[in-house]
Amino acid sequence: MSLAVEPKVENFGYYAYSAIQKHFKKTLKWESEVKKDKDPEALHQMRVGMRRLRTAISRFAIAVNLPKVVSDKNIGKIARRLGNLRDLDVLKETLEHLSQPQLPKKEQQSLQTALDALEKQREEALADVRDTFKDEHYKAIKQALKKWLDEPNYQPLAFLPMQQVLPDLLLPEVSNFLLHPGWLVGTEIEEHQIVVLHNWEAKKIEKELATNSKTLHSLRKQTKRTRYQMELFSDLYSKTYTAYIAELKSIQDILGSIQDSIVLAEWLESIFESEIQTQIPTIVALLAENRYQMWQQWQPLQERYLQGKTRQDLHFTVLHPA
């Protein structure tokens, strides 16, 4: 069953339309600047817009009838191509930041070799993004979304009051966030209690990350999904809800910094054929120190979200819109 009547009140359908419209417009706003490739911020903003658009389309799928081409899968393909280019920009920014005057001359030369290799990879990723913008499939998605926004089509659930829908919409994502195995990295069971292990030396942390970095990265992605979904409805909740969103952003940023450092180290190993300890030992040490510091910032948040009270409070907050 489908309904072409546009909701007139702030119900489920109203929020679905508003979110899709907002993030689609933001995505289109930055497209021409990304093509020009003059400002890395344009790519960052378009990537974020595309990710948020994907979240909106995925989470509101039960309330709207979107054209078949406008799917989570198809939007995801475009977002990944933008992401590939953005990831290289992040690597470049990090490498340029590491290029300090006090760096030994030999390492400065090695770093320039890495930057040259990165630039070649970036040229290929940029060409892929520009080709995407020319692709008929991408154009079809844009045209279909524009047409839907002019003539939106809804499912019956769209007419439910937003306050009634909110908890059921948010709690599954919040549960996936709280039950993610990433929370258990660097812990052990003592007398039937989960205990976060402290005072680890840097080598111990490096070993733990070598084993569990993918799990932490997965938690980061789940945190991002939860945060994006919660942000869609921040105006319907109290300041406590907004505070939780801010904490989720901190978790995402910290785990993101750890992941970026790991990815950069792995990329440098591929460039220098696993000889980074002899080619760029100072940079290797700086990256390890960064991971160590991020780990220290991560553990207090990890402990907080392993506490029953925090988890219950988050559930309670989601269950009670303002």
Side-chain angles (χ1 to χ4, degrees), residues 21-259:
Q21 180 188 51
K22 176 183 177 181
H23 299 307
F24 180 54
K25 282 187 174 181
K26 179 175 181 177
T27 300
L28 292 186
K29 174 184 175 182
W30 295 101
E31 183 181 316
S32 62
E33 292 300 315
V34 172
K35 289 178 185 176
K36 295 174 185 176
D37 192 38
K38 292 182 178 179
D39 183 4
E41 183 63 19
L43 173 63
H44 172 61
Q45 292 297 330
M46 185 173 184
R47 182 196 193 186
V48 170
M50 188 67 73
R51 281 176 165 179
R52 291 180 183 271
L53 176 62
R54 185 183 182 188
T55 296
I57 287 172
S58 172
R59 298 307 179 262
F60 288 118
I62 58 174
V64 298
N65 286 311
L66 288 167
K68 189 175 181 179
V69 71
V70 184
S71 66
D72 178 278
K73 182 179 179 181
N74 289 339
I75 299 293
K77 288 179 181 178
I78 300 166
R80 279 190 291 275
R81 290 173 185 172
L82 292 171
N84 290 338
L85 182 56
R86 175 59 185 168
D87 289 344
L88 293 174
D89 280 350
V90 172
L91 289 182
K92 181 180 178 182
E93 290 170 10
T94 305
L95 285 176
E96 289 174 342
H97 179 71
L98 292 170
S99 183
Q100 303 166 3
Q102 62 267 35
L103 203 64
K105 186 175 181 180
K106 180 184 176 182
E107 290 195 51
Q108 289 184 13
Q109 293 171 345
S110 295
L111 193 58
Q112 188 57 52
T113 298
L115 284 167
D116 292 342
L118 181 62
E119 187 57 36
K120 290 181 181 179
Q121 291 184 16
R122 193 186 181 284
E123 288 174 2
E124 294 175 0
L126 176 61
D128 188 43
V129 167
R130 285 172 170 164
D131 287 344
T132 297
F133 292 156
K134 298 175 185 176
D135 188 79
E136 291 302 320
H137 196 65
Y138 175 72
K139 293 178 181 177
I141 292 172
K142 288 202 303 182
Q143 186 59 37
L145 266 173
K146 288 177 180 177
K147 184 176 180 180
W148 185 86
L149 288 169
D150 288 338
E151 300 175 5
N153 191 282
Y154 298 91
Q155 297 189 45
L157 280 177
F159 295 87
L160 286 175
M162 197 65 230
Q163 302 279 357
Q164 180 179 330
V165 173
L166 271 175
D168 295 328
L169 192 65
L170 290 172
L171 283 175
E173 201 73 73
V174 170
S175 295
N176 288 336
F177 166 70
L178 293 174
L179 293 174
H180 196 283
W183 293 110
L184 303 182
V185 173
T187 69
E188 64 180 25
I189 306 298
E190 294 182 2
E191 298 180 357
H192 306 290
Q193 297 291 323
I194 297 173
V195 178
V196 176
L197 303 176
H198 292 284
N199 302 318
W200 279 6
E201 294 182 353
K203 288 183 179 179
K204 177 75 171 176
I205 294 172
E206 288 295 297
K207 185 177 180 180
E208 187 74 9
L209 289 175
T211 304
N212 293 305
S213 63
K214 289 183 179 179
T215 304
L216 283 177
H217 182 47
S218 175
L219 174 57
R220 181 216 179 185
K221 292 192 289 186
Q222 179 58 55
T223 303
K224 179 177 61 182
R225 286 192 291 268
T226 307
R227 174 193 157 207
Y228 282 1
Q229 184 166 346
M230 288 178 66
E231 284 180 338
L232 291 171
F233 312 108
S234 57
D235 61 324
L236 295 175
Y237 279 95
S238 66
K239 291 181 179 179
T240 302
Y241 182 90
T242 305
Y244 273 114
I245 292 175
E247 276 195 335
L248 263 59
K249 186 178 187 307
S250 294
I251 293 168
Q252 181 186 331
D253 289 345
I254 291 168
L255 294 181
S257 293
I258 291 174
Q259 177 66 14

